[in-house]
Amino acid sequence: MSATPKLSGLSRKLVKDGLLDEGKAINALKSAREAKVTFTQYLVDNNILTAKKIAMEASVEFGLPIFDLDALDLEATPRDIVDDKLIQKHHAVPLFKRGNRLYIGISDPTNLAAVDDIKFQTSSNTEAVLVEADKLSKIIEKMLEEEDQNFNEGLDEDLEELEFAETDEDPNAAVDDSNIDDTPVVRFVNKILLDAIKKGASDLHFEPYEKRYRVRLRIDGVLREVASPPIAMSMKLAARIKVMSKMDTAEKRVPQDGRIKLKISKNKAIDFRVNTCPTLFGEKVVMRILDPGSASLGIDMLGYEEDQKELYLHALANPYGMILVTGPTGSGKTVSLYTGLNILNTEDTNISTAEDPVEINLEGINQVNVNEKVGLTFDAALRAFLRQDPDIIMVGEIRDLKTAEIAIKAAQTGHMVMSTLHTNDAPLTLARLVNMGVPPFNIAAAVNLIIAQRLARRLCEKCKTIDDIPKTALEEEGFTAEQIKAKPTLYKASGCDACDKGYKGRVGIYQVMPISEEIGRIIMNEGTAIDVADQARKDGVKNLRESAIIKVISGVTSLEEINRVTKD
């Protein structure tokens, strides 16, 4: 998709001085570009060269002074004048200010965009100073941790004074909050929202029943009850949330959708997608926490095995074709797609997405909220995109034949198309498209890669304990003879103060299936999903269960957990 990078500046200097051979330098430049990190950061992260040696070489080549970050007093830095987004985006940190001259620390002297962007944002004369890449990463991480810590320490204060930003929802929606300005209700809702953020929850459930009311959080994919307020608060809680979400508080008979933006600092806000549904005993409210930072985690953080990651990156490098991600609701499909979009999101690429609704806001991408009430459906948005000179199109979900036909046509006419479907594994995705009515020859010609995925809970590194499982049990669970012969050390959940019943965080389990020539022939000959699965196995594609077992062997998760999320 992109031309082979040429040596210049620092890379040429390192080759000239014999610190890198030319081939390795070119590969490092290309890999750094794909991973969306700086050249120097890539060299350090992959132990190719030390940060100190790179800084010394860069100083000579570019004539920039070197500053030792060990001598930096974080409290004295003018960090408040530089947006956290710029610090993260450019991997640059403000060091000190002298009059109207701001000095920023960077590890890559070719990162002129950092100097220009910070100069524009701060209206200061900005000068770059070289720092060591590893120390720079630690300083930036420490800065952001301190901000989160300051936020967490103040969570229990002034709960009724939280700042909720205006959203893009309909400002004319009927809202009557005259009867719900109830401080206990306001404080309770605000505290639940903040607790959800602190605990890393993905969803909040407010549920009324005949004789009780409960609030549950979904943490690492599992629901936990966290509060049981009096049943008399039921209507007030629903009304309060509806007011915050710009919904019609008078309408209780039909489901409603809304959105809340909670500002937690000068540069950080959390979005909640809200849905109400009338039940027998009142309105149930479910809130999805939308994490804008999840797309910038990077592909290495998602849990792909090395061969699976290479297949995904190779498919992303194609100028046209279709990438499909499949799995149940809440399996991380959107994060997988946006991680790919983030890699492709460059100045010379036009990217448009149609979603229902947009969950992750990513700068540089044209995002459209589908609105069927006004006729803005997925297929209508796709038709509009094709008249907007697109390079890459992302469709939130292929739900019907119209959307599938337009998406496949776009993939066949020089565009990269990415989308999701709801199927259990990769081979069944092809069968689903056929069942929709898409001609098999179009599927074979358009689809490049299918990713099926699940999310499993990670074992807590602080408390996981060795799990002694008999050989016969491992055979029944699907472990191969070679895996059993290697006598792997397996772990199980235990539980401590730092985790949730032995688990902390989640990791992806993937089946990454490229459409080989053989699979293409099976599709053309109207073969079944079983035929495709058999060929995929011959092609070396691991199914979800096999990928999950690798995660157990590597100590990332437990056998009990993969049994919960995958079936043999």
Side-chain angles (χ1 to χ4, degrees):
M1 188 173 180
S2 57
T4 302
K6 295 181 180 179
L7 297 181
S8 62
L10 180 59
S11 59
R12 185 170 56 198
K13 170 74 172 170
L14 295 175
V15 171
K16 181 182 176 183
D17 289 354
L19 296 174
L20 280 179
D21 62 58
E22 186 173 349
K24 184 175 280 190
I26 290 173
N27 286 335
L29 284 167
K30 185 177 180 181
S31 298
R33 182 186 298 171
E34 290 175 349
K36 301 200 85 172
V37 298
T38 64
F39 175 60
T40 55
Q41 191 67 44
Y42 181 84
L43 294 178
V44 174
D45 288 348
N46 290 275
N47 299 315
I48 298 173
L49 285 174
T50 65
K52 188 172 183 179
K53 175 63 74 174
I54 295 171
M56 292 173 64
E57 289 287 317
S59 177
V60 173
E61 176 68 15
F62 292 90
L64 294 175
I66 299 178
F67 180 80
D68 186 358
L69 286 175
D70 288 338
L72 182 66
D73 180 5
L74 265 182
E75 294 184 1
T77 59
R79 59 163 304 184
D80 288 342
I81 68 172
V82 179
D83 202 281
D84 282 351
K85 289 181 181 178
L86 287 182
I87 292 176
Q88 288 180 291
K89 177 182 177 182
H90 292 303
H91 214 64
V93 64
L95 299 175
F96 40 85
K97 193 173 184 183
R98 299 288 182 269
N100 193 40
R101 192 171 298 277
L102 176 66
Y103 294 86
I104 61 168
I106 57 174
S107 60
D108 187 345
T110 63
N111 190 7
L112 300 178
V115 179
D116 292 340
D117 283 1
I118 292 175
K119 180 179 180 180
F120 179 79
Q121 193 241 324
T122 61
S123 300
S124 302
N125 292 322
T126 307
E127 287 195 17
V129 176
L130 276 176
V131 295
E132 294 169 39
D134 52 352
K135 293 181 181 179
L136 178 60
S137 295
K138 290 177 182 177
I139 283 288
I140 292 175
E141 185 178 349
K142 192 172 181 181
M143 278 184 168
L144 300 176
E145 279 180 359
E146 283 186 358
E147 177 169 329
D148 288 341
Q149 184 178 357
N150 292 336
F151 163 66
N152 289 335
E153 287 173 354
L155 287 185
D156 295 327
E157 301 176 7
D158 298 326
L159 285 173
E160 65 269 24
E161 298 299 329
L162 287 178
E163 184 177 355
F164 293 93
E166 290 297 320
T167 65
D168 296 329
E169 304 298 327
D170 183 5
N172 298 316
V175 173
D176 177 15
D177 60 353
S178 58
N179 297 319
I180 54 175
D181 187 16
D182 188 328
T183 298
V185 171
V186 171
R187 287 180 61 85
F188 178 80
V189 172
N190 289 354
K191 187 177 189 308
I192 291 293
L193 298 187
L194 295 172
D195 282 348
I197 296 169
K198 286 171 67 178
K199 293 176 180 178
S202 60
D203 300 87
L204 301 85
H205 292 239
F206 295 80
E207 302 169 309
Y209 297 97
E210 185 176 11
K211 296 181 179 179
R212 65 185 294 250
Y213 191 98
R214 71 176 176 182
V215 180
R216 293 190 291 174
L217 303 182
R218 188 177 294 279
I219 301 170
D220 293 337
V222 178
L223 282 168
R224 304 267 187 240
E225 184 170 338
V226 295
S228 183
I231 188 65
M233 289 179 64
S234 171
M235 293 181 64
K236 288 185 177 182
L237 287 171
R240 170 60 185 166
I241 295 170
K242 288 167 77 172
V243 167
M244 296 163 67
S245 311
K246 302 292 187 289
M247 296 182 192
D248 183 355
T249 56
E251 180 57 79
K252 300 179 176 67
R253 300 165 298 174
V254 296
Q256 294 188 62
D257 291 297
R259 205 175 180 104
I260 298 171
K261 184 183 286 290
L262 171 60
K263 296 186 72 174
I264 60 178
S265 72
K266 182 179 68 175
N267 301 312
K268 191 173 182 181
I270 299 290
D271 284 336
F272 296 82
R273 190 182 75 203
V274 187
N275 175 266
T276 65
C277 183
T279 68
L280 279 177
F281 304 105
E283 291 179 283
K284 175 176 177 177
V285 182
V286 176
M287 308 171 76
R288 166 66 57 90
I289 300 178
L290 307 177
D291 182 5
S294 57
S296 58
L297 288 174
I299 194 169
D300 292 322
M301 297 294 291
L302 299 186
Y304 286 93
E305 301 300 328
E306 196 60 35
D307 58 331
Q308 295 175 334
K309 183 180 78 170
E310 290 304 317
L311 287 171
Y312 191 15
L313 291 174
H314 178 73
L316 289 171
N318 287 326
Y320 56 86
M322 181 180 283
I323 297 174
L324 296 172
V325 181
T326 182
T329 301
S331 60
K333 299 187 296 295
T334 301
V335 172
S336 277
L337 283 178
Y338 265 94
T339 299
L341 289 177
N342 203 26
I343 292 171
L344 299 171
N345 185 17
T346 57
E347 185 181 354
D348 57 357
T349 305
N350 179 23
I351 304 176
S352 295
T353 75
E355 300 165 75
D356 184 19
V358 173
E359 293 192 10
I360 297 172
N361 181 19
L362 199 58
E363 187 176 345
I365 292 179
N366 308 290
Q367 298 170 285
V368 173
N369 259 328
V370 168
N371 186 347
E372 295 191 1
K373 291 180 181 178
V374 298
L376 183 54
T377 57
F378 278 117
D379 55 298
L382 269 174
R383 287 192 180 94
F385 291 165
L386 292 173
R387 295 190 289 271
Q388 292 260 314
D389 185 30
D391 295 305
I392 298 159
I393 295 170
M394 195 271 267
V395 188
E397 183 183 349
I398 294 178
R399 297 176 179 172
D400 51 50
L401 180 58
K402 279 186 180 179
T403 306
E405 285 178 335
I406 301 168
I408 283 177
K409 180 182 177 182
Q412 291 175 311
T413 54
H415 308 94
M416 167 65 72
V417 179
M418 305 172 75
S419 189
T420 71
L421 278 103
H422 283 89
T423 56
N424 287 331
D425 63 11
L428 283 170
T429 304
L430 298 170
R432 171 80 175 121
L433 289 172
V434 172
N435 290 340
M436 278 185 181
V438 180
F441 63 87
N442 279 343
I443 300 172
V447 180
N448 290 341
L449 185 76
I450 302 175
I451 300 173
Q453 66 181 78
R454 301 289 188 275
L455 287 178
R457 291 178 293 173
R458 287 180 182 269
L459 283 167
C460 175
E461 291 295 330
K462 292 185 178 180
C463 68
K464 67 181 182 181
T465 56
I466 293 176
D467 194 6
D468 187 14
I469 302 175
K471 177 182 175 182
T472 53
L474 293 179
E475 290 173 347
E476 292 173 359
E477 294 290 355
F479 284 69
T480 65
E482 291 79 10
Q483 289 170 336
I484 296 171
K485 188 177 180 181
K487 296 181 179 179
T489 302
L490 309 183
Y491 295 90
K492 62 182 177 180
S494 179
C496 66
D497 293 338
C499 66
D500 180 39
K501 296 185 179 181
Y503 296 97
K504 188 173 184 180
R506 290 193 285 179
V507 65
I509 295 171
Y510 303 95
Q511 179 185 29
V512 182
M513 187 181 81
I515 307 304
S516 62
E517 289 185 13
E518 291 76 11
I519 290 177
R521 290 192 190 98
I522 292 171
I523 299 168
M524 296 279 286
N525 293 328
E526 299 185 4
T528 66
I530 295 174
D531 297 328
V532 173
D534 289 341
Q535 182 59 50
R537 186 171 279 106
K538 292 176 185 176
D539 292 342
V541 175
K542 292 184 285 290
N543 63 30
L544 285 166
R545 183 68 180 182
E546 291 165 342
S547 295
I549 287 173
I550 291 173
K551 292 289 190 296
V552 175
I553 292 173
S554 61
V556 173
T557 189
S558 67
L559 186 57
E560 180 184 19
E561 177 64 8
I562 69 162
N563 284 339
R564 186 180 70 85
V565 298
T566 66
K567 293 181 180 179
D568 195 5

